[in-house]
Amino acid sequence: MLVIKNLHASTGGTPILKGIDLEIAPGEIHAVMGPNGSGKSTLANALSGRPTTEITEGSVLFEGKDLTEMEPEIRAREGIFLAFQYPVEIPGVGNNYFLKASVNAVREHRGQPPLDAMDFLTLAREKLKLVNMPNELMNRPINAGFSGGEKKRNEILQMLLLEPKLCILDETDSGLDIDALREVAVGVNALRSPDRSMLIITHYQRLLDYIVPDQVHVLSDGKIVRSGGKELARELEETGYGWIEQQAASGASK
Amino acid sequence: MSGKNAGRVNPVYTAQLGHYRDAQAAFASERSGDPEWLVGLRANAIDRFAEIGFPSTRLEEWKYTNVAPIAKDALVLRDGDAPEIEGAESLSSAIARDPEALRARFARCPASKDRAFALLNDAFLANGWWVSVPTNADVGAPIHLRIDGAAAGEVLHPRVLVDVAPGARATVVIELEGGPGLTNLVADIEVAANASLDLVLLQASEGDARGEAGFQVSTASARVARDGRFRSHTLTTSGTLVRNDLDVLLAEEGADCELRGLFLGSGSRLIDNHSAVDHAVPHCNSRELYKGILGGRSKGIFRGRVLVRPDAQKTDATQSNPNLLLGEGAEIDTKPQLEIYADDVKCSHGATVGQLDEDAVFYLRSRGIGVAEARALMILAFANEILDALPEGVASDAVAKGLQAVLEEATS
């Protein structure tokens, strides 16, 4: 589904990603972990097409299509979804209007007829229930005045509505208490299917107790320095990221 | 040129002063049968206008707005009579019916003093309406005054008087149709005790949205009595050169005003909004929110002055002017001003100038919404804060069309 080869990317002229290789097959869940500043969010931004992240080298193929030349909205319509670490507040644009426009943009791209207001509302209510959010949330402006937990659940709600093929979760667990974390995990697990892949970016292991990954990768200084099974996440939780820095320091001294 | 007035006269624009003097003489001779006070008011106004001429950019109040495009031509008076409208009496009818009442009403209007455009309106005063809302009346549907645009080379001087009697409530819409000429409106408003008025000034003609026309100058004054409420909505999407002056006097305790505005610039248009709120007595509130959206090479000006006089304790005043600049060459000059002479008051003011929030645009795009639509959504969201607060029954269709023109320019 996703094939990343030798990906280099920079933000504001500063190189952040320095050669990422990663393959995700349909149905697989991959976790990317790493210390702050290792390039985790830049990877998410490079995949979703944030204009401030510039891909300088390498290739990204999504279902065989070159992603690097695609506008962000086209990537979204093709089935890539980024759950933001910091969802943006947009006062003045209603959640309802936004989500309907978004769902219908994706449907149109897939050759499906648009949902009318009634059908959309029915669908939205079903998904709202999954993330334990009140219906009145639809009448509020996008994320405006939402608590941290509500913002993250709103991200998962959007993911449930758009039914993407590749879900990228950028530190979705940050700032969540344990109850909110569980609710988010319920929403994410509802989307698990043999043809849907996920890339979960996180600093901590605890989200991975609820969403169990097939593979875990450790990112350091823009490169994947170690890959392994789900037990790697637990190991990292126990040992911390200190060994990476030591490794980097000894590498530099050689 | 006398030394005293040297700063007030722009030598470039004196060429047409004789034209206006002659035009006024002709106008006055046709109306020699009018009441003496009216004849006198016109004569004094043209004399004063001929002394001071059109304002130059050396005047602080006109620093950013060059009226040369208006002042360079000898504009011909477009004469005509305002049609009778339900709830509004034409001035010509009021002159015939009760000239003494009208004289008393005009006596309460603030003098035009050194305001050149208001003086010109005085000098050619004939056309317009007097809206009187009787005591405790609740006028449901808006009273809609539509003023046709002036043709090329023409000038109109409409005058609107609005009186809302104690306990009454009304909405008045003054719609200025576009035209390549000059529309020079003067409005005077009295909101009596416990009365409430929503005044909408609509400068949103469709042709103008394409940037074809015209000049619009408005000078409005409002006085609000005890526990009265005045809300204004100034919506500007048309006109190549627009200048609006709005002065509000909170004259008695408990008076409240809310001044709201939305101005949209595209092409190379200029929109200048000046306002002044005078807190003359204690326990009055004023809220001011003007939002500007400027694309292309358009220019916006905002001047808001709030004066809190020494006696006006417990004043609560806010003033805000956020602006969105969409064009590389677009420009805004904004200056909220507070002058406070009382010590127990709550006042705040602020202005911001920003571009579209690109993080928000990316957020929308990352959900499949196209870049043009995402930008349009953001611009609409910015405007909606003003449009959503319009009084009931006031269609903002015309404004929506103006928005469309700005959107097309901003997203193309």
Side-chain angles (χ1 to χ4, degrees), chain B residues 99-367:
Chain B
E100 188 46 36
L102 198 63
R103 187 201 61 78
R105 178 63 182 83
F106 270 105
R108 298 201 301 275
C109 293
S112 298
K113 287 184 188 154
D114 289 338
R115 295 182 134 162
F117 286 96
L119 286 168
L120 261 188
N121 185 293
D122 285 344
F124 293 93
L125 178 56
N127 191 351
W129 292 278
W130 189 4
V131 176
S132 292
V133 185
T135 304
N136 291 331
D138 188 347
V139 182
I143 297 166
H144 198 122
L145 310 175
R146 175 182 256 118
I147 296 164
D148 289 341
E154 286 187 344
V155 55
L156 282 176
H157 299 288
R159 173 72 61 119
V160 176
L161 303 169
V162 179
D163 296 349
V164 189
R169 166 198 293 272
T171 297
V172 173
V173 180
I174 303 175
E175 180 174 2
L176 300 183
E177 283 281 301
L182 167 66
T183 302
N184 178 31
L185 170 77
V186 173
D188 190 72
I189 295 129
E190 288 189 340
V191 180
N194 281 310
S196 167
L197 173 70
D198 273 87
L199 178 76
V200 182
L201 180 62
L202 195 56
Q203 299 166 314
S205 89
E206 229 181 293
D208 281 0
R210 297 191 295 269
E212 291 164 2
F215 309 122
Q216 299 197 347
V217 177
S218 79
T219 311
S221 313
R223 293 173 298 287
V224 189
R226 178 176 286 270
D227 297 323
R229 185 164 183 263
F230 172 62
R231 289 219 300 175
S232 74
H233 312 258
T234 303
L235 309 173
T236 309
T237 68
S238 64
T240 46
L241 197 168
V242 178
R243 165 65 178 248
N244 298 314
D245 274 271
L246 173 59
D247 293 354
V248 181
L249 173 65
L250 299 172
E252 292 176 7
E253 290 191 18
D256 181 296
C257 75
E258 216 179 300
L259 313 184
R260 307 172 64 87
L262 176 67
F263 51 100
L264 309 177
S266 57
S268 57
R269 299 171 35 217
L270 181 150
I271 304 156
D272 179 353
N273 277 298
H274 269 62
S275 67
V277 178
D278 185 345
H279 282 262
V281 294
H283 294 287
C284 292
N285 298 331
S286 64
R287 302 266 170 274
E288 186 165 11
L289 176 66
Y290 272 70
K291 294 183 111 174
I293 303 177
L294 300 160
R297 288 177 297 113
S298 65
K299 185 171 166 185
I301 294 122
F302 174 81
R303 280 286 177 285
R305 179 166 176 255
V306 174
L307 170 65
V308 182
R309 292 185 188 270
D311 286 343
Q313 304 295 357
K314 305 289 179 190
T315 286
D316 188 345
T318 66
Q319 198 185 35
S320 163
N321 171 230
N323 298 287
L324 203 48
L325 286 190
L326 301 174
E328 291 271 318
E331 188 184 323
I332 175 85
D333 293 293
T334 174
K335 191 173 173 190
Q337 258 175 293
L338 281 173
E339 263 174 67
I340 305 173
Y341 300 102
D343 50 20
D344 184 12
V345 299
K346 212 164 90 184
C347 296
S348 69
H349 66 161
T352 59
V353 180
Q355 277 81 39
L356 276 186
D357 178 352
E358 288 302 328
D359 282 341
V361 171
F362 172 63
Y363 188 71
L364 296 171
R365 294 177 76 188
S366 78
R367 300 303 182 246

Side-chain angles (χ1 to χ4, degrees), chain A residues 110 161 171 184 252:
Chain A
R110 292 177 186 161
L161 283 167
E171 309 235 2
V184 162

